């Protein structure tokens, strides 16, 4: 399972980075979303998969899955939601004001 | 916290209060209101003279960063007391003077006193700190306040130039000094000055000793304007005159002197210390006095004179360190006379130079010029000012019976003494010292006379002046009169100072020469017989007068020595070159293209991660312990990979957004399979809300064009993307193939119920174990939501962009009215909303033991409200739920923060939670934890944030 997950993580990162390097602001935004997914799965995979029950003590299991990556990911999901929303609005507003979402056109001059 | 700490803090408190004084009491000059601060300090420090003289040192420590050995430790000994008295005493006079110098109505006096008091506090901190790091912090604060004061008239180009120059030079010196302090720490293992001085070991053989000494000296020489670092001081004269009198003559520039004196017990005895301090001092002395002679601006003349006098004191400290070459006894005492002269002259210089600066300020204030070529004959209209100037200049020139005469005689004694030092060829090379000192004294005599006679005697030329000159107001005269009187008193009764201040200060500089309870015996006589020194002074007067008379005819004495090269030009050129070079270098890689920046980041990631893994040989592929795979999981992964891979190829914007959403839902499913119920819940809601947001914003954006990127760019993009993907795959594989560290997860599994009373370990980590992180996280979210609100609402004037949405946009984005085809949605949503809301409350309450919690509950509640707004229209939704969501965010954050602070009430550290089990009606035995209260804060914040974001965007026109 870990092998397939690692490959999937690689794909998410590859597509994410590829999108990030493009000109369109929307593509860049989608790229960050994909990379975020990649990071989350990476954190989860790092601590081994399916090693025990869900980290709820009510399950009364022998062993539990590592709760730390889950706590980290939960934080990350919420933060990236905030960042993504901010980004979306920034892009929307930039387009509204400047009439383009092409990053090459949005870049400043050398003197700025 | 001792009284000494309070003494340092008082100026800072007054600095903070002075703008308030300014605002509240419009009619009173702010100076009157801040004047009590330095005066009270002066009285306090005076009261400390007897105990310090009795050998007591007053000390106190306030812990700051104990783990690094950095504490706010203060102590008061003879040396510190001397400086503290200068700072508070001259400070009081300068504040009084400034009340009349700076008009309340025309000048920004409110900020002036903030800067001035900031400096006063910082300077007190420098001379009273025991910890070197604290000393450094205050040291830099003096540089900054000096910068602000020089640039007080910031609209003048010369002012900003001077301010920048002084800051650059003194801060570079300060940084060098910090490096020196750290080296000393490495040698001795302590930042405490007294501990280092108290160490009974010889440090000179340490390999870091020499660099430490050189770096600290660099700090001292730049601050005290020693040649060739003096170039900032003449330009600092752009500051208002009270500032020049205070910072750039009496106190701040003497911080370097203080540093040398303070570190003398550590470094004295080293040959190089002796040579460097004496040589830099004597060169500065002769150079400064020579340049002062040529100045035509009163303040420039005084600036170069200050440079020269600082050199004199520096020389004396260097010569005094010769006493450490002998192991006590008469030989040592013989050379401590130089130290004695240094301290005495330090006081004298502050007194007469302070008076002279104030005189220059009066002349400038009353005539409108400081150019001695335009001045003359002022004696008749300004008799009091003239008398002060006479005392000041005669004292500076070293004429009896003023205090400057005595310290100059003692200086001659010291340079004559040093020729007897029979170490390292001093008898031959050392002969230079008296000669140079004598010549410099002649120059000093000449510029002193120039200052006095060119300004106050000779032909009056009032027609060249902007104003009709008259005597200054009484308030402006009192401070220089006080100083001039002191110059006379200290001249006639020098032993007033010797017992009270000079002896304790010497004890601080030469601690090893004294036995327990001993003091130095300092006796200064006005008449000391027909000594060689007296003949030298006579020679100075004779030759000085001749030179003064012949001066106009000697070209060297009036014109610059070199015109094609100067230190200032070198400084300017170096600044220009580094400026241009830096901007060229920066624009080489800071191209403004986001693609380039991202490429740097990714290349760095690829190189560092792969190199590190290679280096520590941590690439492992061990598939033995891997979890089994089922066919559903394979299908999920395929779905994930395919939808991700399809995104770059799609040309439809909607399609791209939906495909990204699909990958998100696949990830959610994977969370379910990998037994992370909290994550799955959160991801699901976030994904839904995000897709809605994307569609809301990008509905009107242009069609995604198939990017026509040339292959030349596309190929590198692809290569970088592939490299990052490969590196991440290897990281994932290596990380899951065995551990390099012990896991800390067991701790949480074991103690989550025992310590925090919660069964949902993930939730317990978030709200209890790592509650502080979560607090900061929701704060960040809150900031993001306010940022979004600001972005949408803020419409700066004159920034109207092209109306790309046209009129069609008006009807589409507004959800104020429900749309006609929403009947089904409206009907179903009425029921659905209640179910979702109930479920969200359950999720929130259950969170401590079951999947759920504040985040998930909050997001769920928000999505219910969004549904309500979409089906009923925003206006209707607002009448149903009349809540200001931006305020809700604030309330949530406050609740969370107060829960954390609540721990303090019980004497526990920040965010200590507690829990207990209670028998409640209806609910039976219920567990209540303060963590729940914190989670309530999280819940409210998340609802507030999400709603703020969505409503702001949804309502934007």
């Amino acid at each position: 399972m870990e092998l397939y997950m690692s490959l999937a993580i690689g794909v998410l990162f590859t597509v994410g980075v590829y999108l990030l390097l493009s000109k369109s602001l929307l593509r860049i935004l989608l790229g960050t979303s994909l990379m975020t997914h990649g990071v989350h799965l990476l954190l989860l995979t790092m601590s081994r998969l399916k090693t025990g029950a869900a980290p709820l003590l009510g399950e009364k299991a022998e062993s539990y899955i590592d709760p730390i990556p889950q706590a980290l990911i939960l934080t990350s999901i919420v933060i990236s939601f905030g960042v993504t929303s901010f980004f979306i609005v920034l892009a929307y507003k930039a387009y509204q004001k400047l009439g383009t979402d092409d990053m090459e056109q949005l870049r400043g001059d050398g003197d700025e | 916290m001792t009284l000494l700490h309070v003494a340092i803090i008082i100026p800072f408190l007054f600095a903070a209060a002075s703008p308030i004084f300014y605002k509240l009491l419009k009619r009173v000059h702010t100076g009157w209101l801040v004047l009590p601060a330095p005066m009270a300090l002066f009285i306090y420090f005076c009261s400390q003279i007897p105990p310090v003289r009795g050998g007591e040192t007053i000390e106190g420590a306030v812990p700051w960063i104990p783990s690094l050995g950095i504490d706010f430790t203060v102590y008061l000994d003879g040396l510190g007391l001397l400086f503290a008295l200068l700072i508070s005493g001259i400070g009081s006079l300068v504040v009084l003077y400034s009340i009349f110098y700076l008009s309340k109505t025309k000048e920004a006096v409110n900020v002036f006193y903030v800067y001035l008091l900031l400096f006063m506090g910082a300077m007190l901190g420098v001379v009273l700190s025991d910890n070197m790091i604290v000393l450094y912090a205050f040291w830099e604060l003096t540089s900054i306040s000096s910068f602000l004061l020089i640039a007080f008239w910031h609209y003048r180009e010369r002012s900003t130039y001077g301010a920048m120059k002084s800051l650059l030079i003194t801060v570079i010196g300060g940084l060098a000094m910090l490096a020196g302090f750290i080296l000393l720490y490495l040698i001795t293992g302590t930042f405490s000055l007294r501990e280092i001085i108290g160490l009974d070991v010889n440090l000179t053989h340490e390999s870091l000793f020499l660099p430490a000494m050189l770096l600290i000296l660099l700090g001292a020489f730049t601050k005290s304007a020693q040649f060739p670092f003096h170039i900032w001081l003449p330009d600092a004269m752009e500051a208002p005159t009270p500032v020049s009198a205070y910072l750039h003559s009496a106190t701040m520039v003497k911080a370097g002197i203080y540093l040398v004196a303070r570190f003398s017990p550590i470094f004295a005895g080293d040959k190089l210390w002796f040579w460097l301090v004496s040589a830099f001092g004597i060169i500065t002395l002769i150079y400064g006095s020579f340049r002062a002679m040529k100045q035509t601006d009163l303040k420039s003349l005084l600036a170069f004179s200050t440079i020269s006098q600082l050199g004199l004191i520096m020389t004396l400290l260097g010569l005094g360190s010769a006493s450490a070459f002998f192991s006590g006894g008469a030989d040592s005492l013989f050379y401590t006379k130089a130290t004695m002269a240094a301290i005495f002259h330090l006081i004298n210089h502050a007194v007469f130079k302070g008076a002279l600066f104030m005189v220059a300020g009066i002349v400038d204030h009353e005539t409108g010029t400081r150019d001695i070529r335009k001045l003359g004959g002022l004696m008749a209209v300004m008799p009091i000012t003239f008398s002060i100037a006479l005392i000041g200049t005669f004292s500076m020139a070293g004429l009896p019976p003023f205090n400057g005469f005595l310290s100059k005689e003692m200086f001659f004694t010291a340079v004559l003494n040093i020729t007897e030092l029979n170490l390292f060829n001093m008898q031959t090379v050392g002969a230079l010292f008296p000669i140079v000192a004598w010549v410099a004294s002649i120059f000093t005599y000449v510029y002193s006379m120039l200052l006095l006679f060119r300004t106050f005697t000779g032909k009056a030329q009032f027609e060249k002046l902007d104003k009709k000159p008259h005597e200054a107001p009484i308030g402006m005269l009192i401070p220089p009169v006080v100083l001039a009187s002191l110059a006379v008193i200290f001249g006639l009764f020098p032993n007033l100072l010797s017992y009270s201040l000079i002896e304790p200060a010497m004890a601080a500089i030469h601690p090893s020469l004294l036995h327990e309870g001993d003091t130095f015996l300092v006796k200064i006589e006005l008449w000391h017989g027909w000594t060689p020194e007296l003949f030298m002074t006579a020679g100075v007067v004779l030759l000085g007068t001749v030179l003064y008379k012949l001066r106009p005819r000697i070209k060297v004495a009036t014109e610059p020595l070199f015109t094609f090269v100067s230190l200032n030009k070198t400084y300017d050129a170096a600044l220009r070159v580094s400026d241009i070079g830096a901007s060229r270098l920066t624009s080489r890689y800071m191209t403004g293209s986001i693609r380039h920046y991202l490429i740097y980041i990714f290349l760095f990631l690829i190189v560092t991660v792969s190199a590190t893994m290679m280096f520590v040989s941590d690439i492992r592929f061990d598939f033995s312990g891997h979890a089994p795979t089922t066919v559903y999981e394979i299908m999920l992964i395929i779905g994930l990979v395919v939808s991700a891979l399809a995104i770059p190829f799609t040309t439809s914007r909607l399609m791209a957004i939906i495909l990204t959403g699909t990958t998100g839902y696949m990830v959610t499913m994977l969370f379910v399979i990998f037994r992370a119920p909290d994550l799955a819940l959160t991801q699901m809601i976030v994904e839904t809300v995000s897709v809605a947001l994307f569609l809301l914003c990008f509905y009107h954006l242009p069609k995604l064009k198939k990017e026509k990127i040339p292959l030349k760019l596309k190929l590198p993009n692809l290569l970088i993307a592939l490299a990052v993907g490969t590196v991440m795959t290897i990281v994932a594989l290596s990380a899951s193939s065995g551990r390099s560290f012990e896991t800390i997860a067991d701790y949480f599994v074991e103690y989550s119920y025992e310590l925090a009373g919660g069964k949902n370990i993930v939730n317990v980590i978030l709200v209890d174990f790592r509650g502080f992180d979560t607090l900061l996280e929701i704060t960040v979210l809150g900031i993001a939501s306010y940022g979004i609100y600001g972005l949408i609402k803020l419409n700066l004037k004159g920034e109207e962009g092209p109306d790309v949405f046209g009129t069609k946009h008006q009807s589409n984005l507004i959800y104020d009215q429900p749309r006609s085809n929403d009947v089904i949605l409206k009907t179903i949503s009425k029921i659905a909303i209640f179910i979702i809301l109930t479920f969200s409350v359950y999720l929130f309450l259950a969170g401590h033991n079951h999947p759920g919690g504040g985040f998930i509950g909050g997001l769920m509640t928000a999505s219910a409200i969004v549904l309500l707004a979409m089906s009923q229209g925003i206006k209707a939704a607002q009448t149903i739920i009349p809540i200001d969501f931006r305020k809700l965010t604030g309330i949530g954050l406050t609740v969370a923060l107060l829960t954390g602070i609540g721990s303090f009430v019980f004497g526990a550290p920040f965010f200590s939670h507690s829990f207990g089990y209670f028998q409640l009606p209806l609910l039976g035995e219920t567990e209540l934890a303060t963590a729940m209260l914190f989670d309530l804060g999280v819940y409210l914040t998340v609802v507030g944030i999400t709603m703020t974001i969505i409503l702001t965007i949804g309502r934007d026109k």
Side-chain angles (χ1 to χ4, degrees):
Chain A
M1 190 71 220
E2 279 85 342
L3 175 65
Y4 303 117
M5 284 305 293
S6 304
L7 291 173
I9 291 164
V11 170
L12 283 175
F13 268 98
T14 308
V15 180
V17 170
Y18 186 76
L19 287 174
L20 269 175
L21 292 176
S22 54
K23 286 181 191 168
S24 151
L25 204 50
L26 175 65
R27 281 174 193 266
I28 293 174
L29 277 172
L30 297 179
T32 55
S33 292
L34 287 186
M35 265 182 73
T36 315
H37 292 319
V39 170
H40 294 167
L41 293 181
L42 176 63
L43 280 171
L44 212 58
T45 312
M46 271 181 166
S47 66
R48 288 298 186 76
L49 302 166
K50 299 198 265 189
T51 50
L56 301 166
L57 292 172
E59 303 273 298
K60 300 210 168 47
E62 275 294 296
S63 64
Y64 297 96
I65 223 159
D66 194 339
I68 299 168
Q70 297 199 11
L72 292 176
I73 295 168
L74 191 63
T75 310
S76 166
I77 292 174
V78 181
I79 282 280
S80 50
F81 168 64
V83 173
T84 310
S85 327
F86 187 80
F87 241 143
I88 295 174
V89 174
L90 191 64
Y92 163 68
K93 213 54 190 175
Y95 177 68
Q96 202 182 33
K97 292 266 175 208
L98 304 165
T100 178
D101 79 329
D102 184 335
M103 286 314 292
E104 289 302 305
Q105 285 176 30
L106 286 173
R107 77 191 258 191
D109 298 333
D111 320 334
E112 279 173 345
Chain B
M1 198 79 158
T2 59
L3 217 51
L4 216 50
H5 283 105
V6 178
I8 296 175
I9 291 165
I10 280 178
F12 291 109
L13 291 180
F14 271 77
S18 68
I20 304 169
F21 289 157
Y22 180 76
K23 276 259 151 65
L24 287 185
L25 299 153
K26 285 248 180 255
R27 243 179 276 159
V28 189
H29 195 287
T30 319
W32 291 114
L33 301 165
V34 300
L35 187 58
M39 283 177 74
L41 287 173
F42 184 70
I43 293 165
Y44 166 71
F45 286 120
C46 280
S47 74
Q48 297 303 313
I49 294 176
V52 168
R53 153 135 201 94
E56 257 180 69
T57 52
I58 298 144
E59 56 177 284
V62 171
W64 181 23
I65 318 172
S67 57
L68 295 177
I70 300 171
D71 294 309
F72 187 11
T73 314
V74 292
Y75 80 118
L76 187 69
D77 64 353
L79 190 61
L81 180 65
L82 169 68
F83 274 89
L85 281 170
L86 278 182
I87 295 160
S88 53
I90 308 264
S92 309
L93 295 175
V94 162
V95 170
L96 179 64
Y97 181 81
S98 69
I99 294 171
F100 297 90
Y101 189 82
L102 289 173
S103 148
K104 159 123 185 163
T105 45
K106 289 181 205 144
E107 310 279 4
V109 290
N110 51 341
V111 291
F112 178 78
Y113 289 107
V114 174
Y115 302 158
L116 198 74
L117 290 162
L118 205 63
F119 165 77
M120 195 182 289
M123 192 67 203
L124 281 174
V126 168
V127 300
L128 298 177
S129 294
D130 171 58
N131 193 291
M132 291 192 288
I133 297 295
V134 179
L135 193 157
Y136 166 75
F138 281 123
W139 180 279
E140 295 295 42
L141 197 53
T142 63
S143 293
I144 292 166
S145 48
S146 156
F147 166 81
L148 291 168
L149 283 166
I150 297 169
F152 178 67
W153 289 311
H154 51 83
Y155 41 84
R156 297 184 188 169
E157 205 182 320
R158 294 292 311 166
S159 294
T160 45
Y161 172 79
M164 201 62 185
K165 200 176 191 178
S166 77
L167 189 75
L168 278 176
I169 294 176
T170 52
V171 165
I172 288 172
L175 283 173
M177 184 184 85
L178 174 66
F181 287 172
I182 292 169
L183 292 184
L184 264 187
Y185 174 78
L186 291 178
I187 300 172
T188 60
T190 173
F191 279 121
S192 163
L193 276 170
R194 270 171 315 158
E195 279 176 31
I196 296 177
I197 293 168
L199 282 178
D200 212 16
V201 284
N202 187 10
L203 301 174
T204 44
H205 60 271
E206 297 277 350
S207 59
L208 292 177
F209 180 81
L210 188 65
M213 186 177 91
L214 294 177
L215 288 166
I216 291 173
L217 275 183
L218 189 60
F221 287 168
T222 48
K223 196 81 164 177
S224 279
Q226 298 296 294
F227 182 87
F229 310 111
H230 67 277
I231 51 168
W232 67 269
L233 192 59
D235 285 305
M237 291 301 130
E238 294 299 323
T241 305
V243 173
S244 310
Y246 190 33
L247 272 73
H248 305 125
S249 144
T251 54
M252 190 187 82
V253 287
K254 294 207 172 88
I257 305 278
Y258 169 80
L259 200 70
V260 169
R262 183 54 89 200
F263 280 81
S264 276
I266 301 169
F267 293 119
D270 188 84
K271 209 165 79 180
L272 199 62
W273 173 267
F274 169 81
W275 275 117
L276 282 175
V277 178
S278 322
F280 268 91
I282 199 106
I283 291 169
T284 310
L285 166 66
I286 182 98
Y287 177 83
S289 57
F290 181 65
R291 288 291 304 274
M293 215 165 51
K294 301 179 184 184
Q295 304 303 317
T296 51
D297 181 279
L298 282 180
K299 276 181 84 176
S300 298
L301 190 154
L302 286 173
F304 277 104
S305 150
T306 305
I307 293 168
S308 140
Q309 302 275 326
L310 289 168
L312 188 154
I313 302 171
M314 200 61 96
T315 316
L316 284 170
L317 284 177
L319 299 181
S321 78
S323 66
F325 297 132
F326 305 94
S327 50
D331 278 335
S332 284
L333 282 180
F334 183 64
Y335 296 107
T336 57
K337 279 184 185 164
T339 313
M340 181 173 93
I343 297 164
F344 189 42
H345 194 69
L346 181 92
I347 304 168
N348 293 340
H349 176 248
V351 167
F352 67 66
K353 193 56 69 63
L356 285 176
F357 263 109
M358 289 175 182
V359 165
I362 290 173
V363 170
D364 189 13
H365 203 258
E366 304 307 332
T367 65
T369 183
R370 301 192 307 247
D371 192 334
I372 51 173
R373 286 168 300 189
K374 289 187 193 166
L375 293 167
L378 288 176
M379 187 166 67
V381 284
M382 302 171 125
I384 304 173
T385 314
F386 168 71
S387 318
I388 301 163
L390 180 99
I391 296 170
T393 47
F394 277 29
S395 179
M396 184 157 75
L399 298 176
F402 306 110
N403 57 357
F405 166 67
L406 292 172
S407 46
K408 182 147 292 184
E409 295 284 288
M410 287 156 72
F411 170 56
F412 285 153
T413 312
V415 288
L416 288 173
N417 282 353
I418 210 69
T419 54
E420 290 176 32
L421 186 68
N422 56 359
L423 290 169
F424 26 85
N425 297 329
M426 209 52 212
Q427 270 134 328
T428 47
V429 189
L432 278 174
F433 273 95
I435 296 170
V436 175
W438 189 64
V439 174
S441 300
I442 296 174
F443 293 155
T444 307
Y445 177 84
V446 172
Y447 72 67
S448 301
M449 295 308 122
L450 270 175
L451 173 65
L452 181 68
F453 293 118
R454 292 291 295 271
T455 312
F456 290 98
T457 63
K459 199 169 151 280
Q461 31 188 353
F462 296 160
E463 70 283 353
K464 285 189 187 171
L465 305 175
D466 302 335
K467 304 179 184 175
K468 195 175 163 358
H470 52 81
E471 186 61 277
I474 181 84
M476 227 164 154
L477 287 170
I478 291 173
V481 164
V482 170
L483 289 173
S485 324
L486 285 177
V488 179
I489 294 169
F490 292 159
L492 296 175
F493 311 102
N495 292 323
L496 278 177
L497 289 174
S498 51
Y499 301 121
S500 57
L501 289 173
I502 301 176
E503 286 174 13
M506 281 178 74
I509 300 175
H510 298 294
S512 59
L513 297 182
L514 285 179
H515 297 292
E516 194 70 38
D518 262 6
T519 51
F520 282 99
L521 277 181
V522 177
K523 210 161 167 57
I524 305 167
E525 305 268 0
L526 183 58
W527 172 250
H528 35 266
W530 295 101
T531 54
E533 293 87 338
L534 200 64
F535 288 112
M536 281 171 86
T537 302
V540 166
V541 175
L542 207 66
L543 278 176
T545 314
V546 173
L547 184 60
Y548 176 75
K549 288 283 173 206
L550 294 178
R551 203 188 68 96
R553 266 173 270 167
I554 307 170
K555 219 177 156 196
V556 223
T558 47
E559 278 165 35
L561 217 43
F562 308 104
T563 44
F564 55 94
V565 61
S566 79
L567 284 165
N568 274 318
K569 281 181 190 158
T570 317
Y571 164 84
D572 290 338
L575 204 62
R576 209 165 40 240
V577 166
S578 54
D579 223 21
I580 296 169
S583 80
R584 276 201 192 140
L585 182 69
T586 315
S587 58
R588 194 64 63 78
Y589 63 92
M590 298 302 274
T591 54
S593 159
I594 192 165
R595 182 173 164 267
H596 290 164
Y597 300 156
L598 287 169
I599 287 176
Y600 305 148
I601 295 172
F602 289 129
L603 285 179
F604 186 77
L605 177 98
I606 296 164
V607 170
T608 45
V609 173
S610 51
T612 312
M613 288 206 302
M614 224 93 96
F615 188 65
V616 300
S617 53
D618 219 10
I619 305 177
R620 288 168 300 199
F621 299 110
D622 173 17
F623 302 145
S624 56
H626 280 186
T629 317
T630 65
V631 68
Y632 305 112
E633 291 159 8
I634 292 291
M635 280 163 70
L636 271 179
I637 290 177
I638 289 173
L640 177 75
V641 168
V642 168
S643 52
L645 282 174
I647 298 171
F649 296 101
T650 177
T651 47
S652 149
R653 185 178 55 247
L654 198 65
M655 196 61 194
I657 294 171
I658 289 174
L659 281 173
T660 313
T662 313
T663 53
Y665 286 114
M666 294 297 160
V667 171
T668 311
M669 297 296 279
L670 285 172
F671 284 152
V672 175
I673 288 175
F674 296 138
R675 288 150 204 180
D678 290 274
L679 298 189
L681 278 167
T682 318
Q683 183 75 56
M684 192 172 67
I685 309 166
V686 162
E687 209 53 53
T688 313
V689 177
S690 299
V691 169
L693 268 180
F694 261 114
L695 292 175
L696 215 56
C697 281
F698 282 86
Y699 190 76
H700 298 281
L701 286 183
K703 222 179 152 81
L704 264 190
K705 278 175 242 140
K706 184 118 179 89
E707 289 207 343
K708 288 201 186 65
I709 308 173
L711 198 67
K712 190 174 73 170
L713 290 179
K714 219 173 199 171
L715 205 61
N717 285 3
L718 188 65
L719 281 178
I720 291 169
L722 277 172
V724 172
T726 315
V727 166
M728 286 339 261
T729 303
I730 295 172
V731 167
L733 280 175
S734 305
S736 57
S737 306
R739 287 184 182 278
S740 307
F741 310 97
E742 274 300 300
T743 174
I744 54 168
D746 299 337
Y747 171 86
F748 294 110
V749 174
E750 201 169 324
Y751 290 108
S752 137
Y753 191 67
E754 203 172 305
L755 291 179
K759 290 181 186 161
N760 180 354
I761 307 173
V762 175
N763 182 266
V764 167
I765 292 177
L766 285 178
V767 299
D768 196 325
F769 288 124
R770 310 291 306 160
F772 195 30
D773 293 352
T774 308
L775 177 70
L776 294 178
E777 184 199 351
I778 53 176
T779 312
V780 170
L781 275 178
I783 294 168
S785 78
Y786 290 138
I788 288 169
Y789 184 78
L791 266 180
I792 296 282
K793 295 285 169 188
L794 184 75
N795 211 352
L796 294 176
K797 272 181 194 163
E799 278 201 6
E800 288 300 320
D803 184 15
V804 288
F805 297 113
T807 43
K808 195 173 151 233
H809 151 74
Q810 294 284 329
S811 57
N812 265 327
L813 263 185
I814 305 165
Y815 290 97
D816 278 351
Q817 298 299 322
R819 294 176 20 218
S820 55
N821 58 350
D822 281 343
V823 183
I824 306 168
L825 179 67
K826 266 170 100 173
T827 323
I828 299 174
S829 66
K830 275 179 193 160
I831 309 157
I833 287 164
F834 283 105
I835 299 173
I836 299 175
L837 272 179
T838 318
F839 186 50
S840 74
V841 173
Y842 165 75
L843 280 176
F844 163 62
L845 289 175
H848 215 43
N849 292 317
H850 305 288
F855 276 125
I856 302 167
L859 285 168
M860 193 68 100
T861 307
S863 55
I865 304 173
V866 170
L867 185 60
L868 180 73
M870 281 167 93
S871 59
Q872 308 294 327
I874 287 179
K875 271 187 185 155
Q878 269 181 337
T879 41
I880 299 168
I881 309 168
I883 297 175
D884 183 344
F885 290 105
R886 272 172 292 135
K887 282 185 187 148
L888 192 67
T889 310
I891 293 168
L893 281 174
T894 317
V895 169
L897 185 64
L898 286 179
T899 318
I901 292 173
S903 325
F904 291 137
V905 179
F906 302 99
F910 196 50
F911 270 119
S912 306
H913 287 305
S914 108
F915 61 94
Y917 300 91
F918 302 93
Q919 203 65 40
L920 293 182
L922 282 178
L923 294 170
E925 194 190 71
T926 310
E927 186 218 341
L928 287 178
T930 53
M932 289 285 283
L933 202 59
F934 177 68
D935 220 12
L936 175 69
V938 175
Y939 172 84
L940 294 176
T941 315
V942 170
V943 174
I945 289 163
T946 317
M947 290 318 297
T948 308
I949 293 173
I950 291 180
L951 292 184
T952 314
I953 299 171
R955 238 179 307 174
D956 182 47
K957 289 175 182 153

